[in-house]
Amino acid sequence: MVINPQAFIDVIPFLIDGLWITLYITIFGVAIGCVIGTLFGLMSISRFRIVRFIAVTYVEVVRGTPLLAQIFFIHLGIPALIGHTFDPYITGVAIIGINSGAYIAEIVRGGVNSIDKGQMEAGRSLGLNSRQTMRYIIWPQALKVMIPPFGNQFVISLKDTSLLSSIAVAELMYSGRQYMTITFSAFETMFMVCIFYLIITIPASLLLRYLERRIDKS
């Protein structure tokens, strides 16, 4: 095999286009996942058994099935059932939201449960009801605990977007594969794809470590 140095440069414009789509899907998908995860995370600590059952079922189903299977189920399985196809990009955002939501739900549940039970009693002694105590006392403290895992989930979801190339979403991996098919520069292309992922994930990891240190000091 002969390495073509020029191929490292020529592939960059293709990957930049895919990079923007990767970031778009990740940001919007994880944002949806935060909403879903917060809702189901709070449901999982509800005093009502049926509410907890619904939350636990969602989390276990999503976490217990491969992401690739979820992608094909939503993009191919459901349309076959209802007779309506979805845009791959809508599927991409939805699946990242649904998948990350299950993990974020566990982050929320763990964060809230990490706060001493006496905090709820302290809120009651101040004349606050359960909802007010959660909002003003429990949640601010739990959020500090949840920030690092939230960041880790963002990085994981960003890398998970590479699986969306299987349904022709033109994200970073798909763009690299298309260029590789045209030029047959497999080594150079995949090397640059990995570099592009590292360009995103390494700064994100450094930011997470910085936030963790700040939280530990606070």
Side-chain angles (χ1 to χ4, degrees):
M1 184 189 73
V2 178
I3 296 176
N4 178 13
Q6 186 61 37
F8 292 106
I9 306 299
D10 293 341
V11 72
I12 290 177
F14 289 84
L15 298 185
I16 289 176
D17 291 339
L19 178 63
W20 288 119
I21 295 175
T22 293
L23 290 173
Y24 169 86
I25 291 175
T26 304
I27 291 170
F28 283 94
V30 173
I32 293 171
C34 285
V35 175
I36 296 173
T38 300
L39 174 62
F40 280 88
L42 294 176
M43 287 171 60
S44 68
I45 57 175
S46 170
R47 65 178 182 271
F48 299 107
R49 182 175 297 180
I50 184 62
V51 175
R52 294 199 306 271
F53 174 77
I54 293 171
V56 170
T57 300
Y58 160 69
V59 170
E60 293 304 320
V61 167
V62 173
R63 299 200 330 167
T65 53
L67 178 58
L68 188 60
Q70 296 169 19
I71 291 171
F72 284 127
F73 176 73
I74 291 178
H75 189 65
L76 301 175
I78 293 179
L81 179 65
I82 66 177
H84 176 74
T85 58
F86 301 121
D87 182 271
Y89 295 91
I90 294 177
T91 300
V93 172
I95 194 62
I96 293 298
I98 293 169
N99 184 267
S100 64
Y103 293 91
I104 292 173
E106 285 295 278
I107 293 171
V108 170
R109 183 187 63 80
V112 172
N113 285 339
S114 69
I115 306 303
D116 188 88
K117 303 300 181 182
Q119 296 290 323
M120 182 63 74
E121 297 175 4
R124 291 297 187 87
S125 68
L126 294 172
L128 302 176
N129 59 34
S130 298
R131 183 175 298 178
Q132 291 172 326
T133 303
M134 175 63 73
R135 178 179 177 183
Y136 296 112
I137 297 179
I138 306 297
W139 187 255
Q141 297 179 71
L143 192 58
K144 290 184 179 181
V145 178
M146 292 186 283
I147 286 176
F150 272 144
N152 288 331
Q153 183 57 47
F154 179 86
V155 173
I156 292 171
S157 294
L158 186 147
K159 292 185 290 186
D160 284 345
T161 59
S162 62
L163 294 176
L164 297 174
S165 62
S166 60
I167 57 171
V169 174
E171 42 70 62
L172 185 56
M173 179 61 73
Y174 182 86
S175 299
R177 288 172 58 185
Q178 289 294 99
Y179 183 83
M180 183 177 64
T181 301
I182 296 171
T183 64
F184 302 102
S185 303
F187 175 81
E188 298 87 345
T189 301
M190 289 299 106
F191 179 86
M192 292 304 294
V193 168
C194 292
I195 293 297
F196 268 67
Y197 277 114
L198 289 174
I199 288 173
I200 308 171
T201 57
I202 289 178
S205 298
L206 293 175
L207 178 60
L208 285 174
R209 292 176 185 174
Y210 171 77
L211 289 175
E212 288 177 11
R213 290 196 298 268
R214 290 295 299 269
I215 291 170
D216 290 339
K217 293 178 181 179
S218 61

